[in-house]
Amino acid sequence: MITPYLPIYTAQQAQFYQIKKTSWKNVKKFIKYLDKQVLVKAKDRSGQETVILDVDFDDRRVLNFVPYRLPNKNALEGAGKSTATGKKPAAPTDGDPAVGQTLNVQSLYRPTSKLTPTIFPSLGSTNPSNYYKYSDVSTHIDQYTQSQNPPIIDPQNKRVITLNPFLANTIFTSSSPEDRNTLARGKTTRDMLLKRLVEDPTLMAPHYAILKPGQTLSDVKPKPGAAPKVNVILERRTGSKTVTKVSNLEIFGIIPNLLAEELQKKCASSTSVSQATGAAKGVMEVLVQGDQRKALETALTRRGLKSQWIEVVDKTKKKK
């Protein structure tokens, strides 16, 4: 039912769509494998018939799955014509849909009930307007401090704010030395007030959203927590041998297996893909031999990542 409609135009492409050439050999064994992975619920019926009864669409591997880019006959013909006419063909992506993508990772804050409606309006958690960028939080602080009567902004220094009952009893309430000193002085700075708000999750809950071109917060539900990063770890194994490991790729739409294939070619080194240690099930880790941080950074940049979204930990350095 599916196989006849696969876009196979050459003998080379055909080899990738033959289940007989896989380790499962047939569809029945493949479904059994999915059942063992708890991705589907399958059952054998009389007549050697295997039926899928249920599919776990909430599994992380399903949610993070990125469809493979299938070959397009018109694109292949167009590429041939462009070459024949002397025009430079488009750069190949090796079938990796993540190559060339544009991402926008936004760090957001959602005010808790402690700050609404005094500083922020009372909005539902599903309302996109209830998530604020750092600059938006700063703007709301300015609006609040400027609207107070009697005034709380020092006329001699606009950066100094006198604590009113709300600020003293709602924001600077921890037992930390900083808060105690602030209460004793009865004053704070605007920058300190902003810092206090965004760093306290009981006041402003951190969230993030990963947007693709054309998307807004109305299209993507922000997720709780700090903005994610791709984790790159360099470590030594068996003496002086260095390996580079990278994980947390799936959340950025990067397919670990395809990245491993590229690194294997670019670095002329062996690679492997396995379950990331200590991570949720389905989060994979790519391991490549040697210190390949530069090649890895180049590969991740091709997939839309910026340097601030990549965290490198070098465990090969000797501890002082």
Side-chain angles (χ1 to χ4, degrees):
M1 185 174 177
I2 298 175
T3 304
Y5 299 99
L6 287 172
I8 302 172
Y9 307 118
T10 66
Q12 183 180 9
Q13 291 173 1
Q15 64 178 323
F16 299 112
Y17 300 101
Q18 299 296 328
I19 197 165
K20 290 182 179 180
K21 294 188 177 182
T22 67
S23 59
W24 298 290
K25 303 302 180 184
N26 58 58
V27 176
K28 183 175 181 178
K29 289 184 179 179
F30 176 64
I31 294 176
K32 290 286 188 181
Y33 170 79
L34 295 179
D35 186 272
K36 289 183 179 179
Q37 295 293 313
V38 200
L39 282 170
V40 304
K41 180 64 177 177
K43 182 179 180 180
D44 288 339
R45 290 182 177 176
S46 58
Q48 301 298 317
E49 182 183 30
T50 301
V51 180
I52 296 178
L53 303 176
D54 191 22
V55 179
D56 185 7
F57 290 104
D58 294 326
D59 189 279
R60 186 182 184 92
R61 290 166 291 181
V62 177
L63 294 174
N64 292 332
F65 176 73
V66 178
Y68 294 100
R69 182 174 295 173
L70 297 175
N72 184 291
K73 187 175 183 179
N74 294 331
L76 291 174
E77 292 176 351
K81 292 179 181 178
S82 298
T83 305
T85 56
K87 294 182 180 180
K88 188 177 180 181
T93 61
D94 298 326
D96 190 340
V99 174
Q101 68 178 348
T102 303
L103 300 175
N104 179 14
V105 180
Q106 292 189 1
S107 294
L108 305 167
Y109 303 91
R110 180 171 62 84
T112 64
S113 58
K114 292 182 179 181
L115 302 181
T116 59
T118 308
I119 298 180
F120 298 90
S122 297
L123 300 173
S125 59
T126 58
N127 192 326
S129 300
N130 199 31
Y131 296 90
Y132 301 88
K133 298 179 183 178
Y134 186 89
S135 58
D136 297 330
V137 177
S138 177
T139 299
H140 276 74
I141 288 179
D142 288 340
Q143 292 174 350
Y144 169 76
T145 56
Q146 293 169 9
S147 66
Q148 296 306 292
N149 189 18
I152 61 175
I153 299 177
D154 192 323
Q156 304 298 324
N157 186 348
K158 302 291 185 182
R159 311 298 294 180
V160 176
I161 297 172
T162 301
L163 299 185
N164 60 12
F166 174 78
L167 296 177
N169 298 326
T170 305
I171 297 176
F172 298 96
T173 58
S174 74
S175 58
S176 66
E178 293 81 3
D179 278 11
R180 288 202 299 264
N181 291 336
T182 299
L183 291 174
R185 290 193 305 269
K187 293 184 178 182
T188 187
T189 63
R190 179 196 173 281
D191 293 340
M192 182 58 67
L193 177 59
L194 175 60
K195 182 174 182 289
R196 186 70 178 79
L197 257 63
V198 298
E199 290 185 354
D200 189 342
T202 65
L203 299 173
M204 301 289 293
H207 286 70
Y208 71 90
I210 300 178
L211 306 178
K212 294 184 178 181
Q215 287 185 329
T216 64
L217 288 180
S218 300
D219 305 315
V220 179
K221 182 180 179 181
K223 297 182 179 180
K229 293 184 179 182
V230 167
N231 301 318
V232 179
I233 299 177
L234 284 83
E235 61 183 26
R236 294 191 186 279
R237 291 190 177 180
T238 61
S240 60
K241 187 177 180 181
T242 302
V243 296
T244 304
K245 300 189 298 183
V246 56
S247 60
N248 207 30
L249 299 163
E250 295 87 350
I251 197 167
F252 294 99
I254 299 175
I255 303 172
N257 286 315
L258 297 182
L259 176 63
E261 290 177 7
E262 178 178 324
L263 292 175
Q264 185 178 29
K265 297 175 183 177
K266 297 291 184 182
C267 305
S269 182
S270 61
T271 60
S272 64
V273 180
S274 60
Q275 169 70 37
T277 305
K281 188 176 181 180
V283 176
M284 308 305 288
E285 177 182 82
V286 176
L287 183 146
V288 56
Q289 301 293 331
D291 182 349
Q292 308 295 353
R293 71 183 89 184
K294 290 185 178 180
L296 187 55
E297 183 178 355
T298 301
L300 294 176
T301 301
R302 291 181 66 221
R303 290 161 173 80
L305 266 69
K306 298 180 180 179
S307 58
Q308 59 264 36
W309 305 337
I310 305 172
E311 185 175 43
V312 180
V313 177
D314 190 352
K315 294 184 178 180
T316 63
K317 294 181 179 180
K318 294 182 180 180
K319 296 181 180 180
K320 295 182 180 180

